[in-house]
Amino acid sequence: MLISTLEDHQRYFPVERADGRLLPCFIAVANIESRDPAKVVEGNQRVVRPRLADAAFFWEQDRKIPLAARAAELAKVTFQARLGSLADKARRVATLSQRIAEALAPSGTRDPARITRARRAAELCKCDLLTAMVGEFPVLQ
């Protein structure tokens, strides 16, 4: 979400540490030669703050409702007219995930918990599409 805000919405470059963790700064390219570079920096910071605040707001709002609680709403969203809703798609993906998890089990073993986790992940895999965060930042889906 932070990277999306910086890169996609503002065309800024996030800065990372050597280990890949984000630093609390960014790089902006200005195609002007300013007499007061500090004002350019200040202006870019002023522009990005509300975008980051919006993202934080959506994040906090979305966290109030668990993904599982959104699953029922998938039935109200058409995936494709002939293929049904997003709920229908999630059910099909869940069935496939379960079959794949069963097929990948080492010979002679069966891990029901692993199979259950694979199915559950698939059941929830489309729920993010109903969040405000994905609505505002579609690249995150």
Side-chain angles (χ1 to χ4, degrees):
M1 178 247 332
L2 295 172
I3 292 170
S4 176
T5 298
L6 292 173
E7 289 181 345
D8 301 333
H9 289 271
Q10 300 304 136
R11 307 282 192 243
Y12 297 158
F13 298 94
V15 180
E16 299 176 353
R17 296 176 187 213
D19 65 5
R21 293 184 2 203
L22 285 177
L23 288 169
C25 54
F26 61 88
I27 297 171
V29 177
N31 60 353
I32 61 168
E33 197 166 321
S34 174
R35 283 180 255 136
D36 192 353
K39 286 212 185 274
V40 175
V41 170
E42 183 183 308
N44 281 291
Q45 290 173 341
R46 187 178 60 248
V47 166
V48 80
R49 275 190 199 102
R51 294 296 300 163
L52 292 172
D54 287 349
F57 172 78
F58 292 129
W59 173 256
E60 289 304 319
Q61 293 303 306
D62 287 342
R63 291 190 61 200
K64 292 177 182 178
I65 302 171
L67 281 179
R70 298 175 192 275
E73 296 296 309
L74 291 174
K76 297 176 184 176
V77 180
T78 301
F79 164 60
Q80 203 273 343
R82 293 174 51 196
L83 297 175
S85 68
L86 284 176
D88 297 325
K89 180 177 182 174
R91 278 191 289 278
R92 289 190 298 269
V93 172
T95 299
L96 287 171
S97 297
Q98 180 177 334
R99 289 180 185 166
I100 291 169
E102 290 168 349
L104 291 177
S107 181
T109 64
R110 190 162 191 262
D111 183 356
R114 188 170 101 186
I115 294 166
T116 300
R117 285 191 307 271
R119 181 174 187 88
R120 185 65 174 149
E123 289 169 348
L124 300 176
C125 74
K126 297 299 176 189
C127 292
D128 68 314
L129 298 176
L130 302 176
T131 63
M133 182 65 76
V134 169
E136 183 69 16
F137 300 94
V139 70
L140 296 180
Q141 59 176 293

